């Protein structure tokens, strides 16, 4: 029994070490009950992937000293991370001046696409407020891309050094949408839109031809949430 208890504790600690910096505490607690979900290797799963990067950061890096640049970068990326965790997304990785997040993993989320769109809209709004505290030359925005589809998700690497991530065309398309977004813009694919169509406001964009795909992609700009009509019960 003592040996089994120690094995169980090691498994729980492995889960904590893998996820506690990348997901919300509630997700970690859920994983502790199912440590088998984070074994080495991956499996095909439906996910909503979000990429966000700081628009205008390259130009800013030419004007600021490295120490000041890192301070500004950390401020923007910390805000992005906080919002992703608020909606219980998985903070997959930082990519220079950007971030990648996953929804619907490692635990199922029936509203994963809505969580991702809410996170994107919250980041869009809160970064605007955050930027007002900075000198005008340091006021930047995020450009974002969201796509929903299947990907291989799991711990990739070795038993000693692994990274929980997603791989596949779904990830690539989300990144391409982010790269094609404008200043402060959120682009979502038709697949993501189909999941949230009755809850969000969008503007259809021209079909987008992205690297690595023969067929143009249907794209929408996410502009806000729909205000649901309610009956006046006082009448």
């Amino acid at each position: 029994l003592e040996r089994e208890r120690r094995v169980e504790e090691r498994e729980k600690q492995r889960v904590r070490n893998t996820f506690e910096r990348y997901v919300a505490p509630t997700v970690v607690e859920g994983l502790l009950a199912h440590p088998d979900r984070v074994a080495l290797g991956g499996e095909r799963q439906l996910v909503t992937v979000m990429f966000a990067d700081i628009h205008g950061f390259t130009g800013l890096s030419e004007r600021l000293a490295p120490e000041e640049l890192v301070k500004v970068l950390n401020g923007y990326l910390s805000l992005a991370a906080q919002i992703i965790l608020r909606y219980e997304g998985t903070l997959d990785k930082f990519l220079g001046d950007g971030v990648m997040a996953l929804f619907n993993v490692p635990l199922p989320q029936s509203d994963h696409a809505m969580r991702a769109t809410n996170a994107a809209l919250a980041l869009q709004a809160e970064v605007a407020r955050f930027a007002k505290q900075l000198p005008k030359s340091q006021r930047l925005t995020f450009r974002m891309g969201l796509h929903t589809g299947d990907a291989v998700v799991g711990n990739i690497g070795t038993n000693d050094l692994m990274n929980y991530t997603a791989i596949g065309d779904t990830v690539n398309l989300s990144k391409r949408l982010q790269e094609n977004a404008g200043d402060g813009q959120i682009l979502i694919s038709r697949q993501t839109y189909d999941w949230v169509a009755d809850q969000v406001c969008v503007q259809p964009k021209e079909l987008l031809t992205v690297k690595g795909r023969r067929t143009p992609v249907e794209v929408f700009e996410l502009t806000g949430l729909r205000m649901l009509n309610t009956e006046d019960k006082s009448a």
Side-chain angles (χ1 to χ4, degrees), residues 18 37 73 75 162 213 234:
T18 303
R37 290 180 179 268
L73 176 63
M162 63 177 67
R213 282 202 168 208
S234 63

Side-chain angles (χ1 to χ4, degrees), residues 1-8 10:
L1 289 176
E2 178 63 19
R3 184 163 54 250
E4 290 178 358
R5 187 189 66 80
R6 289 179 180 178
V7 170
E8 182 180 354
R10 282 198 298 270

Side-chain angles (χ1 to χ4, degrees), residues 126-137:
E126 293 190 25
V127 77
R129 289 192 288 269
F130 171 76
K132 290 181 180 179
Q133 307 169 26
L134 302 174
K136 287 187 177 180
S137 62

Side-chain angles (χ1 to χ4, degrees), residues 147-194:
H147 176 54
T148 302
D150 287 344
V152 175
V153 183
N155 281 302
I156 309 300
T158 69
N159 286 319
D160 296 323
L161 182 62
M162 63 177 67
N163 181 39
Y164 188 83
T165 190
I167 296 174
D169 181 65
T170 294
V171 178
N172 296 338
L173 181 53
S174 176
K175 177 63 174 172
R176 298 304 181 197
L177 293 179
Q178 172 257 300
E179 292 171 347
N180 282 274
D183 187 5
Q185 194 175 49
I186 304 168
L187 294 184
I188 67 174
S189 66
R190 160 60 72 176
Q191 289 82 353
T192 297
Y193 177 63
D194 284 344

